């Protein structure tokens, strides 16, 4: 069997290793000349010099006498033949005096030329070389069709990923579970840092002007160690002091110091001891990926370095852009969490999709930024603003992946040109709010080949660390509801810092007892007991539910089966979320009723007496008992910079009632019986909702006798008393279905039809959009009813919600005056005195036309019923 090295040798024959580089570069030159990057296509560059041009690059350097270090690099690396002939190269060079300064201060440990290793020599020569002949004023132009003048800030150097390949000792490897096997082996690992070419970073006048990067920006980016003037140019932060030295085979640009390749952001951060905490956290999300199945890189490495290893690796970070195919862990497992981008990626580009035919324009145009806090800042945050973290986790290393990734990602900025100091006001956080970065927050700037690292003296935390999402994010007992938040994409909504939220959060324990609203249309109620799946391989499989037949009176349950149906589970959890979110300040204690996100009404008592605070949904009010708040997290703006309070429920979630409007009216026949009689004969109730598609299969089953005028909203129903309706009927103002039938039997069809229409108009006029609860925040206005007038407009009611009643005016308000809800009349049920207002109902539509088999909610509507002192009178002038 042939070895990996022998396979490579066979494919290249007797070609020398440095000639392999020359062959690759020659091909690149040929291609770029054809693309019009220079005017080299006018000449036979291998045979003669262009007229009027000087000597070759090598000759010029040799003849000057003070570039002996660069000449030695060329000779030692076998590149004299290339740079002594005509060709197409651009070289940034420093004189011998600059090299002497370099030997005194470099961190490679090389104090003279003789101490340089071969990889270091390659980094110095090829890292300062471009495989093309380009004048300084053209270096900021991205070639192609069309030309992109003033847009290029990064160009790929001639440095190959194989010119300097790290060999990691076990102690050098990141300390996480993906590297553990290699660390424990005790063996070194050949590991490419990225596996792509290393670009050089250029700051040129046209590019800076085009991207509105100021001289002050530049000075700040290089730690105010320079004072840039218009027209200045730099490469990797090194100033170009003489531009466009024209040679027969390219250009030399002279620099005042030695140009060295920049590391990528990940390696740069890893090299800095003052950010060890942040680096340790970040490196949780990287792994060594073995070479591809064809072992192309391994074969090339073995040939170039005369080795015979089985495989080489590439260090990669799990990231949302899925660069370099890191959708799975190296062993094919689920990625724990993803960074916004891969800080190890030399060829980083900010565009989400690289345009076809765009070449490497995206990589050349921009790079990234990472804001990295010092260890001191991380420690201060842990004890200060991040106190909720330290209360839940022993140390930074113990913070779970899903929580800590938020912190990392908010400090990863996708565009460098949009994040320079003059544009700090435009930097937005994960909620698209201003992040508040200032130059005083940045102690130093470190430049990398794929971005800038801002060393910050404070921690910029994600919005979730201050919003009402923080407690469910960090608390393991709330994992199910947090999963629901992410699956329903409610993160942005609940992170809105301009709102005040009262967020009631059921724990995993509370979600063990949730009555499935899809069972309200079945003979037997069903209980969904949600469970967390620790072994889920797919995030969509993280939650399942055990289904029980359930008797809410006896509490007896019979286990039926499990469901792992994603749509069913998310449908239920979304309804739970919508029932637990209130936009408003429950905590001020001024009101007792609140409308939730889905329009349901909840009642909160003792909001300012936190140990005795309770909340009830319509199910708890009608059939259950108040739920006690087990804990409160204060995430208000004045406390944490957040957006509200979190109220933890540990016993049961807030639930919607199974009682429809008809159920509630029927439960109070002494007061609502006559109104119900009219509704029963009106045809306004339905058990299957017709969507009007013409296909019966599209129709939706109802959870009971639903009002057909409801449409995914919240409503108020004003019900006149039995006596009031009978008085109208006795006076002839309103007919009854009995009299309608008598007219019809007597042959008075027109009269019967007219009476029938008037009854339906009467009923519709008492059904108002917007659920108004006595005890809620005051509001007033003109509200639509479900009645449409002759002008095809919804008839309106003037309504005023006060602290202790609702006042309503109809179109006959001059005659009838103001109508009032009846708040003093009560009834007794189960030994309790109850009012005849704020009576809640909820109606359900299911995603199917058979309620007995329904498993997924289609939509819901809610209503609140109030007894009023007299009927509302409609005239067509309304």
């Amino acid at each position: 069997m042939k070895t990996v090295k022998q396979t490579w040798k066979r494919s290249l024959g007797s070609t020398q290793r440095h000639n392999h580089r020359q062959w690759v570069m020659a091909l690149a030159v040929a291609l770029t000349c054809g693309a019009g990057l220079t005017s080299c296509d006018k000449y036979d560059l291998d045979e003669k010099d262009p007229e009027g041009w000087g000597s070759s690059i090598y000759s010029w350097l040799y003849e000057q006498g003070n570039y002996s270090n660069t000449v030695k690099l060329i000779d030692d690396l076998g590149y004299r033949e290339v740079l002594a002939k005509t060709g197409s190269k651009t070289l940034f060079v420093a004189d011998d005096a600059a090299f002497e300064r370099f030997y005194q201060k470099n961190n490679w440990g090389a104090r003279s030329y003789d101490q340089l290793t071969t990889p270091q020599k390659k980094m110095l020569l090829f890292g300062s070389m471009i495989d093309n002949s380009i004048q300084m004023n053209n270096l900021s132009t991205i070639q192609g069709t069309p030309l992109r003048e003033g847009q290029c800030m990064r160009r790929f150097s001639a440095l190959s990923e194989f010119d300097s390949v790290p060999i990691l000792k076990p102690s050098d490897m990141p300390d996480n579970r993906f590297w553990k096997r290699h660390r424990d082996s005790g063996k070194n690992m050949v590991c490419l840092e990225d596996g792509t070419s290393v670009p050089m970073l250029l700051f040129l006048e046209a590019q800076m002007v085009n991207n509105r990067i100021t001289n002050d920006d530049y000075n700040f980016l290089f730690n105010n160690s320079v004072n840039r003037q218009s027209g200045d140019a730099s490469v990797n932060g090194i100033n170009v002091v003489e531009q466009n030295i024209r040679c027969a085979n390219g250009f030399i640009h002279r620099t005042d110091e030695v140009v060295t390749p920049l590391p990528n952001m990940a390696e740069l951060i890893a090299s800095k001891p003052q950010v060890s905490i942040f680096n340790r956290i970040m490196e949780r999300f990287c792994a060594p990926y073995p070479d591809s199945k064809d072992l192309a890189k391994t074969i090339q490495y073995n040939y170039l370095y005369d080795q015979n290893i089985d495989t080489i690796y590439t260090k990669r970070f799990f990231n949302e852009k899925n660069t370099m195919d890191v959708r799975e862990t190296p062993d094919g497992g689920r990625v724990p969490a993803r960074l916004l981008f891969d800080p190890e990626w030399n060829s980083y580009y900010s565009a989400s999709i690289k345009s076809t035919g765009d070449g490497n324009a995206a990589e050349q145009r921009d790079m990234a930024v990472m804001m990295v806090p010092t260890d001191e800042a991380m420690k201060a945050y842990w004890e200060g603003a991040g106190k909720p973290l330290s209360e839940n986790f022993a140390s930074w290393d113990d913070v779970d992946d899903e929580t800590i990734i938020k912190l990392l990602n908010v400090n990863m900025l996708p565009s460098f040109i949009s994040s320079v100091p003059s544009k700090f006001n435009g930097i937005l956080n994960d909620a698209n709010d201003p992040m508040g970065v200032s130059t005083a927050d940045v102690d130093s700037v470190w430049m990398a080949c794929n971005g800038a690292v801002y060393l910050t003296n404070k921690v910029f935390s994600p919005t979730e660390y201050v919003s009402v999402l923080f407690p469910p994010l960090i608390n393991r007992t709330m994992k199910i509801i947090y999963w629901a938040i992410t699956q329903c994409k409610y993160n942005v909504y609940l992170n809105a810092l301009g709102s005040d939220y009262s967020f009631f959060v059921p724990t995993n324990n509370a979600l063990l007892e949730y009555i499935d609203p899809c069972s309200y249309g079945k003979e037997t109620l069903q209980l969904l007991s949600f469970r967390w799946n620790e072994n889920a391989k797919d995030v969509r499989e993280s939650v399942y539910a055990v289904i029980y037949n359930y008797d809410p009176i006896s509490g007896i349950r019979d286990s039926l089966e499990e469901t792992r149906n994603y749509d069913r589970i998310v449908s239920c959890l979304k309804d739970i979320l919508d029932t637990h979110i209130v936009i408003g300040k429950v905590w001020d204690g001024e009101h007792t009723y609140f409308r939730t996100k889905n329009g349901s009404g909840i009642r909160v008592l003792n909001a300012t007496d936190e140990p005795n605070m309770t909340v009830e949904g319509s199910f708890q009010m009608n059939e259950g008992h108040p739920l006690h708040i087990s804990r409160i997290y204060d995430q208000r703006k004045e406390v944490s910079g957040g957006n509200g309070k979190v109220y933890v429920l540990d016993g049961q979630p807030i639930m919607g009632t199974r009682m429809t409007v008809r159920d509630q009216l029927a439960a109070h026949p002494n007061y609502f019986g006559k109104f119900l009689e009219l509704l029963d004969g009106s045809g306004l109730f339905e058990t299957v909702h017709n969507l009007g598609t013409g296909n019966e299969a599209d129709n939706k089953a109802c959870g009971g006798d639903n009002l057909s005028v409801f449409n995914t909203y919240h409503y108020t129903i004003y019900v006149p008393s039995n006596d009031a309706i009978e008085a109208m009927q006795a006076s002839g103002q309103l007919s009854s279905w009995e009299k309608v039938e008598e007219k019809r039997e007597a042959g008075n069809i027109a009269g019967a039809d007219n009476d029938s229409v008037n009854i339906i108009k009467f009923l519709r006029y008492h059904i108002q959009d917007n659920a108004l609860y006595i005890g809620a925040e005051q509001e007033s206005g003109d509200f639509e009813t479900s009645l449409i007038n002759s002008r095809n407009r919804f008839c309106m009611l003037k309504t005023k919600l006060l602290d202790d009643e609702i006042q309503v005016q109809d179109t006959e308000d001059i005659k009838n005056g103001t109508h009032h809800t009846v708040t003093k009349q009560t009834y007794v049920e189960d030994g309790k005195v109850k009012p005849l207002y704020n009576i809640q109902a909820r109606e359900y539509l299911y995603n199917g036309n058979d309620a007995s088999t329904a498993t997924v909610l289609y939509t819901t509507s809610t209503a609140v019923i109030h007894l009023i002192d007299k009927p509302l009178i409609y005239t067509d002038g309304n």
Side-chain angles (χ1 to χ4, degrees):
M1 179 180 292
K2 293 196 176 353
T3 65
V4 172
K5 181 169 66 176
Q6 289 170 333
T7 304
W8 174 252
K9 284 187 174 181
R10 187 179 69 249
S11 66
L12 288 183
S14 59
T15 306
Q16 297 298 312
R17 292 181 178 81
H18 74 271
N19 286 343
H20 170 64
R21 167 182 284 280
Q22 294 177 27
W23 177 82
V24 173
M25 298 307 178
L27 176 61
V29 169
L31 292 173
T32 52
C33 287
L37 286 174
T38 68
S39 58
C40 61
D41 56 328
K42 297 180 181 179
Y43 309 104
D44 183 0
L45 294 176
D46 287 330
E47 301 298 332
K48 59 184 179 181
D49 294 345
E51 184 177 349
W53 285 43
S55 56
S56 69
I57 291 174
Y58 182 86
S59 299
W60 188 91
L61 293 170
Y62 184 82
E63 291 165 2
Q64 299 306 304
N66 61 335
Y67 293 94
S68 62
N69 283 273
T70 303
V71 170
K72 288 180 184 178
L73 289 173
I74 295 169
D75 288 338
D76 287 356
L77 295 176
Y79 227 64
R80 177 176 181 177
E81 187 77 6
V82 175
L83 295 179
K85 287 188 174 183
T86 54
S88 186
K89 302 291 179 185
T90 299
L91 195 62
F92 295 88
V93 298
D95 60 21
D96 289 339
F99 265 91
E100 287 305 314
R101 293 192 293 274
F102 168 75
Y103 295 137
Q104 297 305 312
K105 62 183 181 181
N106 72 77
N107 57 8
W108 296 351
R111 296 296 170 247
S112 67
Y113 182 88
D114 294 338
Q115 294 181 13
L116 291 171
T117 65
T118 298
Q120 290 170 349
K121 291 177 182 179
K122 291 179 179 179
M123 292 169 68
L124 290 172
L125 179 61
F126 301 130
S128 60
M129 181 187 298
I130 298 173
D131 289 321
N132 211 337
S133 176
I134 309 176
Q135 298 184 62
M136 185 61 66
N137 60 352
N138 287 332
L139 282 171
S140 62
T141 298
I142 299 176
Q143 301 297 323
T145 305
L147 290 175
R148 297 169 177 84
E149 297 181 352
Q151 292 192 27
C152 182
M153 71 177 299
R154 293 196 298 161
R155 283 190 178 274
F156 287 101
S157 68
L159 188 66
S160 161
E161 63 268 33
F162 289 100
D163 285 333
S164 178
V165 181
I167 299 176
L168 299 181
K169 299 176 182 178
S171 59
D172 298 328
M173 299 174 190
D175 188 8
N176 69 38
R177 62 185 184 273
F178 306 108
W179 295 79
K180 187 177 186 305
R181 175 172 64 89
H182 303 282
R183 288 172 61 92
D184 292 347
S185 71
K187 298 178 181 179
N188 294 345
M189 172 195 288
V190 179
C191 186
L192 295 170
E193 290 176 350
D194 173 65
T196 64
S197 299
V198 179
M200 58 175 60
L201 179 60
L202 302 166
F203 281 96
L204 308 171
E205 187 70 17
Q207 185 269 339
M208 291 179 63
V209 170
N210 184 65
N211 290 293
R212 301 190 306 279
I213 300 175
T214 68
N215 288 341
D216 286 341
D217 288 335
Y218 181 90
N219 295 341
F220 181 88
L221 293 168
F222 289 94
N223 301 303
N224 293 309
S225 61
V226 295
N227 183 23
R228 188 184 187 279
Q229 304 298 313
S230 296
D232 285 356
S234 70
V235 54
N236 290 355
I238 304 300
N239 290 330
V240 177
V241 293
E242 185 177 359
Q243 304 177 8
N244 302 328
I245 300 172
R246 189 170 61 176
C247 299
N249 54 349
F251 286 95
I252 293 174
H253 305 297
R254 187 166 65 84
T255 59
D256 61 354
E257 301 294 344
V258 174
V259 175
T260 56
L262 296 174
N264 58 52
M265 289 184 289
E267 298 307 315
L268 180 58
I269 293 168
S271 71
K272 303 293 186 178
Q274 60 267 54
V275 293
S276 62
I277 296 175
F278 189 93
N279 179 66
R280 193 167 62 248
I281 294 169
M282 184 176 72
E283 286 199 328
R284 279 196 214 174
F285 304 101
C286 72
Y289 283 81
D291 196 4
S292 57
K293 291 182 180 179
D294 62 5
L295 296 177
K297 290 184 177 182
T298 303
I299 293 170
Q300 188 171 0
Y301 174 83
N302 282 340
Y303 172 75
L304 293 172
Y305 289 93
D306 197 24
Q307 297 294 314
N308 194 25
I309 63 173
D310 292 332
T311 187
I312 66 173
Y313 292 82
T314 302
K315 181 182 177 184
R316 299 251 49 103
F317 283 80
F318 313 131
N319 66 94
E320 293 180 5
K321 294 177 75 70
N322 284 325
T323 53
M324 305 299 288
D325 195 24
V326 290
R327 293 170 179 83
E328 297 178 335
T329 62
D331 58 1
R334 176 179 166 184
V335 169
R338 297 182 187 277
L339 297 175
L340 190 63
F341 53 79
D342 184 350
E344 196 85 29
W345 184 26
N346 294 337
S347 303
Y348 170 86
Y349 57 86
S350 60
S352 59
I353 299 176
K354 195 172 173 182
S355 301
T356 302
D358 202 27
N360 60 3
E363 293 98 324
Q364 296 180 65
R365 187 181 297 128
D366 201 358
M367 58 183 187
V369 169
M370 289 189 68
M371 299 195 298
V372 180
T374 64
D375 287 351
E376 288 74 15
M378 293 287 280
K379 292 173 184 176
Y381 179 84
W382 186 258
E383 297 299 329
K387 190 70 173 177
L389 282 176
S390 60
E391 289 177 349
N392 284 273
F393 304 100
S395 69
W396 280 110
D397 293 329
D398 294 314
V399 180
D400 65 76
D401 293 339
E402 192 168 19
T403 300
I404 205 64
I405 201 72
K406 310 287 184 183
L407 177 67
L408 295 172
N409 282 342
V410 80
N411 285 282
M412 301 181 80
L413 310 180
S415 172
F416 168 79
I417 60 178
S418 298
S419 306
V420 294
S422 61
K423 303 174 186 177
F424 274 179
N425 288 339
I427 297 177
L428 304 179
N429 62 18
D430 49 346
N432 288 325
D433 293 320
M435 203 159 182
V437 182
S438 71
T439 55
D441 300 324
V442 182
D443 286 348
S444 299
V445 180
W446 303 324
M447 302 305 294
C449 70
N450 58 349
V453 176
Y454 293 167
L455 178 68
T456 61
N457 51 43
K458 63 184 289 187
V459 174
F460 289 92
S461 61
T463 307
E464 277 191 38
Y465 280 20
V466 297
S467 76
V468 292
L469 274 182
F470 193 39
L473 170 66
I474 63 174
N475 199 313
R476 292 180 175 87
T477 67
M478 304 176 192
K479 294 180 76 169
I480 294 176
I481 202 68
Y482 186 78
W483 178 85
I485 291 167
T486 60
Q487 297 308 296
C488 297
K489 303 188 187 308
Y490 276 19
N491 309 61
V492 175
Y493 176 76
L494 290 170
N495 275 335
L497 298 183
S499 299
D500 288 306
Y501 290 107
S502 298
F503 187 20
F504 295 87
V505 176
T507 63
N508 299 344
N509 184 68
L511 289 172
L512 292 173
E513 294 196 13
Y514 174 70
I515 298 176
D516 184 3
C518 291
S519 69
Y520 288 164
K522 301 175 182 178
E523 292 184 1
T524 304
L525 287 182
Q526 292 180 341
L527 191 78
L528 291 181
S529 185
F530 294 102
R531 311 292 174 90
W532 183 257
N533 181 8
E534 291 286 356
N535 300 316
K537 292 185 177 180
D538 187 309
V539 67
R540 290 165 60 95
E541 301 170 354
S542 298
V543 175
Y544 67 99
V546 178
I547 305 172
Y548 298 90
N549 280 339
Y550 180 63
D551 182 347
I553 297 176
S554 66
I556 296 174
R557 59 179 74 179
D558 295 319
S559 178
L560 290 178
E561 59 184 345
E562 288 184 2
T563 178
R564 297 177 184 268
N565 183 291
Y566 176 81
D567 291 336
R568 179 177 186 178
I569 290 169
V570 170
S571 171
C572 287
L573 288 171
K574 181 179 184 300
D575 189 58
I576 291 172
L577 279 173
D578 290 343
T579 308
H580 286 70
I581 298 171
V582 174
I583 301 178
K585 300 177 181 179
V586 167
W587 56 84
D588 63 16
E590 296 179 5
H591 309 287
T592 54
Y593 277 84
F594 300 88
R595 213 162 49 213
T596 65
K597 186 177 184 297
N598 61 9
S600 297
I602 62 170
R603 180 167 62 193
V604 178
L605 300 178
N606 305 315
T608 58
D609 182 15
E610 294 184 352
N612 297 306
M613 181 179 177
T614 62
V615 62
E616 299 164 88
S618 56
F619 173 84
Q620 280 83 21
M621 282 184 266
N622 290 338
E623 302 178 63
H625 53 81
L627 305 175
H628 288 273
I629 305 301
S630 62
R631 181 172 180 179
I632 299 175
Y633 291 87
D634 197 343
Q635 300 295 117
R636 290 177 297 168
K637 186 177 294 293
E638 58 267 31
V639 176
S640 68
N643 58 355
K645 281 191 174 185
V646 173
Y647 301 93
V648 180
L649 299 169
D650 198 40
Q652 189 182 67
I654 299 169
M655 290 186 285
T657 182
R658 58 175 163 171
M659 300 189 73
T660 65
V661 170
R662 193 192 184 289
D663 292 334
Q664 289 287 28
L665 295 176
H668 304 85
N670 294 334
Y671 308 97
F672 303 149
K674 290 298 179 181
F675 193 80
L676 177 58
E677 282 182 12
L678 295 177
L679 273 173
D680 278 341
S682 69
L684 293 178
F685 287 128
E686 62 182 8
T687 57
V688 175
H689 182 70
N690 190 333
L691 293 183
T693 64
N695 185 354
E696 289 189 8
D698 293 338
N699 294 341
K700 305 301 177 185
C702 302
D705 293 310
N706 288 9
L707 275 172
S708 59
V709 298
F710 284 2
N711 185 21
T712 317
Y713 200 57
H714 47 89
Y715 304 87
T716 301
I717 301 179
Y718 303 106
V719 182
S721 67
N722 291 346
D723 291 342
I725 292 178
E726 287 175 341
M728 286 187 70
Q729 291 173 335
S731 67
Q733 288 180 284
L734 183 68
S735 187
S736 67
W737 294 118
E738 183 180 2
K739 290 184 177 180
V740 168
E741 188 59 30
E742 289 175 357
K743 286 185 178 182
R744 199 174 302 281
E745 290 177 354
N748 186 0
I749 304 302
D753 288 347
N754 184 65
D755 288 351
S756 178
V757 168
N758 286 336
I759 292 174
I760 293 173
K761 285 183 177 180
F762 173 82
L763 294 169
R764 281 179 169 268
Y765 196 49
H766 286 75
I767 302 173
Q768 170 197 291
D769 285 0
N770 290 279
L772 300 178
Y773 299 90
I774 297 172
E777 184 177 0
Q778 292 188 11
E779 61 177 304
S780 62
D782 294 337
F783 296 97
E784 293 179 349
T785 68
S786 63
L787 177 61
I788 299 176
N789 62 23
S790 60
R791 299 185 303 279
N792 203 34
R793 295 179 180 175
F794 287 102
C795 298
M796 310 295 289
L797 292 173
K798 281 187 178 301
T799 307
K800 183 181 293 185
L801 171 63
L802 303 176
D803 286 339
D804 55 357
E805 69 167 354
I806 300 174
Q807 298 177 357
V808 187
Q809 289 183 339
D810 56 29
T811 55
E812 291 288 306
D813 60 302
I814 296 175
K815 296 179 181 178
N816 295 330
T818 300
H819 303 65
H820 301 265
T821 52
V822 178
T823 57
K824 294 184 179 179
Q825 193 163 0
T826 59
Y827 69 99
V828 177
E829 182 179 88
D830 297 331
K832 296 180 181 178
V833 177
K834 295 186 177 182
L836 289 163
Y837 62 89
N838 286 352
I839 298 172
Q840 294 201 55
R842 196 175 190 207
E843 302 191 347
Y844 304 85
L845 289 181
Y846 304 127
N847 197 17
N849 55 19
D850 185 353
S852 67
T853 60
T855 58
V856 177
L857 286 175
Y858 179 71
T859 190
T860 68
S861 297
T862 59
V864 59
I865 301 168
H866 303 290
L867 180 68
I868 56 172
D869 58 359
K870 51 190 172 182
L872 301 170
I873 305 300
Y874 160 78
T875 64
D876 202 49
N878 181 281

